[in-house]
Amino acid sequence: MAVDKSKVSAGFIVVGVLTVFFATGLVFVGPIIIDDQVVKNTVIDPKNDLSYTMWKDLPVPFFMSVYFFHVLNPQEILKGEKPMVEQRGPYVYRKQCRKENITFHPNSTVSYREYRRYFFEPSMSAGNESDVVTIPNMLVLGAAVMLEDLPYAVRLLISTTFKTFNEGPFLTKTVGELMWGFDSKLVDFLNKFLPGMLPSTGKFGLFAEFNNSNTGLFTIHTGRDDIRKAHKVDSWNGLTELSYWRTPQCNMINGTAGQLWPPFMTKESTLPFYSPDACRSLELVYQRAGEMKGIPLYRYVAPKTMFANGTDYAPNEGFCPCRQSGLLNVSSCRHNSPVFISHPHFFNADPVLLDYVLGLNPTEEDHGLFIDIHPLTGVPLNVSIRLQLNLYMKRVPGITETGKISEVVMPMLWFEENGYIDGPILTTFHTNLVILPAVMEYMQYIFIALGLVTTVVAILVYHKVKRKTCEGRTLPRENTSTSAGERTPLLVKKH
């Protein structure tokens, strides 16, 4: 029986030791297995149901919120006074994206066009598209700046034309008209006089080119040959670099298309992406770690140098001619119209810009842009991209519509595109990429603990059995041939 117990104990010792070795091996092999699964699930491949659907159809809710800067003192502005504005909105639109003409190539890239449509959401808005607001008239004040170098007589003729079409320096229109277009005979005239300046249709709207349109032909890496390249742009509209800017660095097409990033991000990683709407590549930097509904994340924000001028940040010299820091001159990709992009309310911009316009109050919480990324997979969990559209306006002699307007970069509107993972997608994401890896990690240590306990207990039992066995074999030996009462008498030697 003791022999059987010692064999069982020895067996448990072997099992315990093997369990410890197995679990210790998992500590090293487990992360490799997890990383391998992440690679398989983040490669752009129709076989990857979760990630491919997320990339192709953007199943999460995505919205665009638009805020207009309603001009309170248009007549005073024409007299040279500071503009005074009042923010109106948000006017919220649900954004629907779909990728079409998806074509996979042998060099581990895929091409597509992404189409976008916008649908007004009254329940989420602070007003209706029928609300009336007043903003600067880009067709008049923008054209005036573009034409200021023409002969004085031509400028007088342009001013007469504006009056003929009953176009003034400010527009008072409904939100729907300003967003998606309104009939304007002046548009047709400007297309004849300045071909290419405006869309060829008879309507002019600030977001007319956004709706029912695509963002161009993107070719991006699938990550099949190198997961570090996943989602990075290979070319846009057949171009590997732009021609809008003055330096090769500024014309580079860097990063992804702005929807997903390569996996295995660190705090030293950045978020580069190419934005056709901004006509350039942008790059966000790490700010802090956090979590969303149990999922770990890294928050990336815009550095203060993003829209800095060439004086404050030399690499941005190629985006000039510049004005104050905080403004991106996009005239070179907007038909030379004097349009500037900035953060809303001139957040992170030269404070002097706030002195020129009354009614602005920038804060990081309301006006800073950010992207929250799950660092292991490169999947955005929460996105808020906020940009402001500004018009540079000034008095132009000969064009009387400009009156005595002081030189100013005038905010017209700002918009926020935001979305976050929620619902079934979040549950699936949390299960596959958070819970399962965590369970695997915990199981490693559970197996180690179980193996150690099994080994220690088995060794103790084994030694106990061995000790008893040894004691049984080493009892004191006595003459047991006769009993005590039957001992043989000693022989006495006779003399």
Side-chain angles (χ1 to χ4, degrees):
M1 188 68 174
V3 175
D4 292 340
K5 286 184 177 180
S6 73
K7 288 182 177 179
V8 171
S9 300
F12 272 107
I13 292 173
V14 172
V15 171
V17 171
L18 289 177
T19 302
V20 172
F21 275 112
F22 172 73
T24 304
L26 278 181
V27 171
F28 298 99
V29 177
I32 297 175
I33 296 174
I34 294 173
D35 289 352
D36 184 61
Q37 288 301 310
V38 168
V39 169
K40 289 181 179 178
N41 288 323
T42 52
V43 170
I44 302 176
D45 189 335
K47 296 177 182 177
N48 298 335
D49 292 336
L50 175 63
S51 58
Y52 186 74
T53 299
M54 190 177 296
W55 171 77
K56 179 179 179 293
D57 298 321
L58 288 181
V60 300
F62 218 83
F63 299 94
M64 180 176 71
S65 302
V66 181
Y67 300 81
F68 283 92
F69 290 106
H70 173 65
V71 179
L72 297 175
N73 60 340
Q75 296 307 315
E76 287 77 9
I77 293 174
L78 293 175
K79 296 176 183 178
E81 296 184 18
K82 283 185 180 182
M84 182 180 298
V85 297
E86 179 182 73
Q87 181 174 290
R88 298 280 180 87
Y91 299 95
V92 182
Y93 297 83
R94 178 168 50 87
K95 182 179 180 180
Q96 183 184 81
C97 297
R98 70 183 190 282
K99 290 181 174 65
E100 294 189 356
N101 307 115
I102 298 174
T103 306
F104 287 88
H105 306 294
N107 64 343
S108 298
T109 61
V110 58
S111 299
Y112 64 90
R113 289 184 182 273
E114 183 170 272
Y115 290 82
R116 51 192 177 181
R117 296 180 65 190
Y118 295 90
F119 304 88
F120 185 61
E121 293 284 352
S123 63
M124 301 175 68
S125 302
N128 295 307
E129 285 192 308
S130 58
D131 292 352
V132 175
V133 296
T134 298
I135 64 171
N137 189 346
M138 285 183 65
L139 296 176
V140 172
L141 298 181
V145 173
M146 294 172 65
L147 303 173
E148 66 175 329
D149 292 331
L150 292 179
Y152 187 79
V154 176
R155 280 179 269 150
L156 285 175
L157 179 61
I158 294 297
S159 182
T160 302
T161 303
F162 289 152
K163 293 178 176 62
T164 301
F165 292 120
N166 199 28
E167 293 283 354
F170 293 92
L171 283 174
T172 299
K173 298 284 185 181
T174 66
V175 168
E177 289 175 319
L178 293 174
M179 287 289 296
W180 312 118
F182 54 90
D183 292 320
S184 173
K185 294 180 180 179
L186 179 60
V187 171
D188 294 330
F189 170 80
L190 290 176
N191 280 331
K192 291 179 181 178
F193 193 77
L194 295 171
M197 174 185 171
L198 300 170
S200 58
T201 63
K203 289 182 178 289
F204 175 78
L206 298 173
F207 284 82
E209 293 183 358
F210 278 50
N211 210 9
N212 298 312
S213 64
N214 68 81
T215 54
L217 179 64
F218 274 95
T219 301
I220 66 174
H221 292 273
T222 63
R224 181 174 297 279
D225 60 338
D226 184 352
I227 197 62
R228 294 170 298 180
K229 293 182 179 179
H231 304 289
K232 290 187 176 180
V233 177
D234 180 63
S235 66
W236 176 73
N237 283 340
L239 303 172
T240 55
E241 60 180 25
L242 305 172
S243 58
Y244 303 132
W245 313 109
R246 297 167 52 192
T247 63
Q249 181 180 350
C250 292
N251 278 319
M252 292 175 66
I253 298 177
N254 296 324
T256 73
Q259 294 175 343
L260 296 164
W261 279 265
F264 312 123
M265 303 188 70
T266 68
K267 295 178 180 179
E268 287 70 38
S269 302
T270 60
L271 286 192
F273 63 97
Y274 172 65
S275 171
D277 296 325
C279 307
R280 58 166 285 192
S281 296
L282 303 171
E283 188 171 43
L284 308 188
V285 296
Y286 173 85
Q287 183 190 53
R288 62 174 175 83
E291 69 172 41
M292 187 182 97
K293 297 183 179 180
I295 302 177
L297 60 82
Y298 287 169
R299 170 158 291 190
Y300 289 83
V301 299
K304 291 185 177 181
T305 57
M306 177 175 282
F307 296 139
N309 60 23
T311 302
D312 290 345
Y313 185 61
N316 282 354
E317 182 65 34
F319 295 119
C320 293
C322 298
R323 299 192 62 78
Q324 296 87 350
S325 275
L327 298 171
L328 173 67
N329 186 346
V330 293
S331 60
S332 58
C333 68
R334 289 289 182 268
H335 313 291
N336 291 319
S337 58
V339 176
F340 290 80
I341 289 176
S342 69
H343 295 302
H345 287 245
F346 295 131
F347 172 69
N348 267 351
D350 190 325
V352 73
L353 294 171
L354 294 174
D355 294 336
Y356 294 152
V357 182
L358 302 176
L360 303 180
N361 183 32
T363 65
E364 181 176 4
E365 181 180 357
D366 294 329
H367 307 124
L369 64 83
F370 67 86
I371 297 178
D372 291 338
I373 291 282
H374 181 234
L376 181 63
T377 60
V379 174
L381 303 175
N382 191 13
V383 176
S384 181
I385 302 297
R386 299 160 173 163
L387 294 173
Q388 179 170 297
L389 186 66
N390 310 280
L391 180 68
Y392 171 59
M393 57 189 202
K394 60 187 289 190
R395 174 181 176 271
V396 177
I399 301 181
T400 58
E401 283 75 15
T402 61
K404 298 179 180 179
I405 293 177
S406 299
E407 186 175 348
V408 63
V409 177
M410 182 72 176
M412 301 206 318
L413 62 85
W414 71 272
F415 62 94
E416 173 187 21
E417 290 198 325
N418 69 290
Y420 58 92
I421 292 181
D422 202 0
I425 291 291
L426 179 65
T427 302
T428 303
F429 189 89
H430 188 265
T431 300
N432 292 341
L433 297 171
V434 177
I435 293 180
L436 291 181
V439 167
M440 180 176 288
E441 182 178 358
Y442 290 137
M443 288 301 293
Q444 298 167 4
Y445 300 109
I446 290 173
F447 276 123
I448 289 176
L450 185 61
L452 288 173
V453 170
T454 301
T455 303
V456 171
V457 171
I459 289 174
L460 292 175
V461 171
Y462 180 81
H463 280 293
K464 185 176 181 180
V465 171
K466 280 291 187 182
R467 188 170 60 250
K468 286 185 177 180
T469 302
C470 290
E471 288 176 354
R473 291 177 179 174
T474 59
L475 288 173
R477 296 187 65 183
E478 294 182 355
N479 188 353
T480 56
S481 59
T482 57
S483 63
E486 296 177 340
R487 289 180 179 176
T488 304
L490 294 173
L491 296 176
V492 181
K493 185 177 179 182
K494 292 183 178 180
H495 297 280

PDB file of all heavy atoms in Angstrom, residues 215-229:
ATOM      1  N   THR A 215     -14.007  60.580 -51.770  1.00  0.00           N
ATOM      2  CA  THR A 215     -12.807  61.288 -51.322  1.00  0.00           C
ATOM      3  C   THR A 215     -11.604  61.012 -52.218  1.00  0.00           C
ATOM      4  O   THR A 215     -10.473  61.329 -51.842  1.00  0.00           O
ATOM      5  CB  THR A 215     -12.471  60.879 -49.875  1.00  0.00           C
ATOM      6  OG1 THR A 215     -12.367  59.447 -49.803  1.00  0.00           O
ATOM      7  CG2 THR A 215     -13.543  61.354 -48.917  1.00  0.00           C
ATOM      8  N   GLY A 216     -11.843  60.421 -53.377  1.00  0.00           N
ATOM      9  CA  GLY A 216     -10.755  60.129 -54.292  1.00  0.00           C
ATOM     10  C   GLY A 216     -10.410  58.647 -54.283  1.00  0.00           C
ATOM     11  O   GLY A 216     -10.914  57.864 -53.463  1.00  0.00           O
ATOM     12  N   LEU A 217      -9.553  58.252 -55.211  1.00  0.00           N
ATOM     13  CA  LEU A 217      -9.151  56.851 -55.331  1.00  0.00           C
ATOM     14  C   LEU A 217      -7.968  56.591 -54.405  1.00  0.00           C
ATOM     15  O   LEU A 217      -6.848  57.027 -54.658  1.00  0.00           O
ATOM     16  CB  LEU A 217      -8.767  56.527 -56.778  1.00  0.00           C
ATOM     17  CG  LEU A 217      -8.296  55.083 -57.027  1.00  0.00           C
ATOM     18  CD1 LEU A 217      -9.425  54.093 -56.758  1.00  0.00           C
ATOM     19  CD2 LEU A 217      -7.791  54.933 -58.462  1.00  0.00           C
ATOM     20  N   PHE A 218      -8.240  55.880 -53.309  1.00  0.00           N
ATOM     21  CA  PHE A 218      -7.193  55.507 -52.359  1.00  0.00           C
ATOM     22  C   PHE A 218      -6.666  54.115 -52.692  1.00  0.00           C
ATOM     23  O   PHE A 218      -7.433  53.208 -53.009  1.00  0.00           O
ATOM     24  CB  PHE A 218      -7.742  55.484 -50.926  1.00  0.00           C
ATOM     25  CG  PHE A 218      -7.707  56.812 -50.235  1.00  0.00           C
ATOM     26  CD1 PHE A 218      -8.813  57.643 -50.242  1.00  0.00           C
ATOM     27  CD2 PHE A 218      -6.568  57.228 -49.564  1.00  0.00           C
ATOM     28  CE1 PHE A 218      -8.792  58.861 -49.597  1.00  0.00           C
ATOM     29  CE2 PHE A 218      -6.528  58.451 -48.918  1.00  0.00           C
ATOM     30  CZ  PHE A 218      -7.641  59.270 -48.930  1.00  0.00           C
ATOM     31  N   THR A 219      -5.366  53.950 -52.618  1.00  0.00           N
ATOM     32  CA  THR A 219      -4.726  52.629 -52.652  1.00  0.00           C
ATOM     33  C   THR A 219      -3.919  52.506 -51.372  1.00  0.00           C
ATOM     34  O   THR A 219      -3.008  53.301 -51.124  1.00  0.00           O
ATOM     35  CB  THR A 219      -3.808  52.478 -53.872  1.00  0.00           C
ATOM     36  OG1 THR A 219      -4.582  52.653 -55.071  1.00  0.00           O
ATOM     37  CG2 THR A 219      -3.183  51.091 -53.900  1.00  0.00           C
ATOM     38  N   ILE A 220      -4.281  51.522 -50.548  1.00  0.00           N
ATOM     39  CA  ILE A 220      -3.630  51.378 -49.247  1.00  0.00           C
ATOM     40  C   ILE A 220      -3.080  49.953 -49.101  1.00  0.00           C
ATOM     41  O   ILE A 220      -3.476  49.037 -49.819  1.00  0.00           O
ATOM     42  CB  ILE A 220      -4.596  51.688 -48.093  1.00  0.00           C
ATOM     43  CG1 ILE A 220      -5.724  50.649 -48.043  1.00  0.00           C
ATOM     44  CG2 ILE A 220      -5.157  53.089 -48.215  1.00  0.00           C
ATOM     45  CD1 ILE A 220      -6.634  50.806 -46.842  1.00  0.00           C
ATOM     46  N   HIS A 221      -2.171  49.780 -48.163  1.00  0.00           N
ATOM     47  CA  HIS A 221      -1.579  48.472 -47.899  1.00  0.00           C
ATOM     48  C   HIS A 221      -2.529  47.635 -47.047  1.00  0.00           C
ATOM     49  O   HIS A 221      -3.132  48.144 -46.088  1.00  0.00           O
ATOM     50  CB  HIS A 221      -0.238  48.630 -47.182  1.00  0.00           C
ATOM     51  CG  HIS A 221       0.836  49.244 -48.026  1.00  0.00           C
ATOM     52  ND1 HIS A 221       1.648  48.501 -48.855  1.00  0.00           N
ATOM     53  CD2 HIS A 221       1.213  50.535 -48.188  1.00  0.00           C
ATOM     54  CE1 HIS A 221       2.492  49.299 -49.480  1.00  0.00           C
ATOM     55  NE2 HIS A 221       2.250  50.545 -49.100  1.00  0.00           N
ATOM     56  N   THR A 222      -2.638  46.360 -47.383  1.00  0.00           N
ATOM     57  CA  THR A 222      -3.500  45.457 -46.611  1.00  0.00           C
ATOM     58  C   THR A 222      -2.814  44.953 -45.356  1.00  0.00           C
ATOM     59  O   THR A 222      -3.482  44.514 -44.418  1.00  0.00           O
ATOM     60  CB  THR A 222      -3.911  44.238 -47.461  1.00  0.00           C
ATOM     61  OG1 THR A 222      -2.732  43.477 -47.799  1.00  0.00           O
ATOM     62  CG2 THR A 222      -4.616  44.671 -48.735  1.00  0.00           C
ATOM     63  N   GLY A 223      -1.484  44.984 -45.312  1.00  0.00           N
ATOM     64  CA  GLY A 223      -0.748  44.453 -44.177  1.00  0.00           C
ATOM     65  C   GLY A 223      -0.390  42.989 -44.322  1.00  0.00           C
ATOM     66  O   GLY A 223       0.231  42.401 -43.432  1.00  0.00           O
ATOM     67  N   ARG A 224      -0.752  42.383 -45.441  1.00  0.00           N
ATOM     68  CA  ARG A 224      -0.489  40.947 -45.613  1.00  0.00           C
ATOM     69  C   ARG A 224       1.014  40.658 -45.663  1.00  0.00           C
ATOM     70  O   ARG A 224       1.493  39.681 -45.087  1.00  0.00           O
ATOM     71  CB  ARG A 224      -1.172  40.441 -46.886  1.00  0.00           C
ATOM     72  CG  ARG A 224      -0.969  38.952 -47.143  1.00  0.00           C
ATOM     73  CD  ARG A 224      -1.795  38.479 -48.326  1.00  0.00           C
ATOM     74  NE  ARG A 224      -3.219  38.625 -48.057  1.00  0.00           N
ATOM     75  CZ  ARG A 224      -3.923  37.739 -47.343  1.00  0.00           C
ATOM     76  NH1 ARG A 224      -3.330  36.694 -46.798  1.00  0.00           N
ATOM     77  NH2 ARG A 224      -5.210  37.920 -47.147  1.00  0.00           N
ATOM     78  N   ASP A 225       1.774  41.499 -46.340  1.00  0.00           N
ATOM     79  CA  ASP A 225       3.217  41.263 -46.432  1.00  0.00           C
ATOM     80  C   ASP A 225       3.970  41.853 -45.245  1.00  0.00           C
ATOM     81  O   ASP A 225       5.030  41.369 -44.858  1.00  0.00           O
ATOM     82  CB  ASP A 225       3.771  41.836 -47.740  1.00  0.00           C
ATOM     83  CG  ASP A 225       3.537  43.338 -47.849  1.00  0.00           C
ATOM     84  OD1 ASP A 225       2.623  43.853 -47.176  1.00  0.00           O
ATOM     85  OD2 ASP A 225       4.270  44.000 -48.607  1.00  0.00           O
ATOM     86  N   ASP A 226       3.405  42.921 -44.631  1.00  0.00           N
ATOM     87  CA  ASP A 226       4.042  43.558 -43.489  1.00  0.00           C
ATOM     88  C   ASP A 226       2.950  44.263 -42.696  1.00  0.00           C
ATOM     89  O   ASP A 226       2.401  45.274 -43.138  1.00  0.00           O
ATOM     90  CB  ASP A 226       5.104  44.556 -43.953  1.00  0.00           C
ATOM     91  CG  ASP A 226       5.880  45.176 -42.792  1.00  0.00           C
ATOM     92  OD1 ASP A 226       5.494  44.943 -41.629  1.00  0.00           O
ATOM     93  OD2 ASP A 226       6.865  45.887 -43.060  1.00  0.00           O
ATOM     94  N   ILE A 227       2.649  43.724 -41.510  1.00  0.00           N
ATOM     95  CA  ILE A 227       1.534  44.268 -40.731  1.00  0.00           C
ATOM     96  C   ILE A 227       1.789  45.704 -40.311  1.00  0.00           C
ATOM     97  O   ILE A 227       0.857  46.463 -40.050  1.00  0.00           O
ATOM     98  CB  ILE A 227       1.263  43.380 -39.488  1.00  0.00           C
ATOM     99  CG1 ILE A 227      -0.126  43.673 -38.918  1.00  0.00           C
ATOM    100  CG2 ILE A 227       2.349  43.574 -38.440  1.00  0.00           C
ATOM    101  CD1 ILE A 227      -1.259  43.376 -39.859  1.00  0.00           C
ATOM    102  N   ARG A 228       3.060  46.125 -40.287  1.00  0.00           N
ATOM    103  CA  ARG A 228       3.375  47.503 -39.928  1.00  0.00           C
ATOM    104  C   ARG A 228       2.913  48.494 -40.994  1.00  0.00           C
ATOM    105  O   ARG A 228       2.835  49.699 -40.741  1.00  0.00           O
ATOM    106  CB  ARG A 228       4.872  47.652 -39.686  1.00  0.00           C
ATOM    107  CG  ARG A 228       5.399  46.883 -38.470  1.00  0.00           C
ATOM    108  CD  ARG A 228       6.910  46.875 -38.417  1.00  0.00           C
ATOM    109  NE  ARG A 228       7.479  46.200 -39.587  1.00  0.00           N
ATOM    110  CZ  ARG A 228       8.773  46.047 -39.802  1.00  0.00           C
ATOM    111  NH1 ARG A 228       9.643  46.528 -38.935  1.00  0.00           N
ATOM    112  NH2 ARG A 228       9.211  45.423 -40.880  1.00  0.00           N
ATOM    113  N   LYS A 229       2.632  47.991 -42.190  1.00  0.00           N
ATOM    114  CA  LYS A 229       2.152  48.857 -43.276  1.00  0.00           C
ATOM    115  C   LYS A 229       0.628  48.881 -43.377  1.00  0.00           C
ATOM    116  O   LYS A 229       0.082  49.635 -44.191  1.00  0.00           O
ATOM    117  CB  LYS A 229       2.706  48.378 -44.619  1.00  0.00           C
ATOM    118  CG  LYS A 229       4.196  48.511 -44.801  1.00  0.00           C
ATOM    119  CD  LYS A 229       4.575  48.034 -46.198  1.00  0.00           C
ATOM    120  CE  LYS A 229       6.064  48.149 -46.465  1.00  0.00           C
ATOM    121  NZ  LYS A 229       6.398  47.658 -47.829  1.00  0.00           N
TER     122      LYS A 229
END
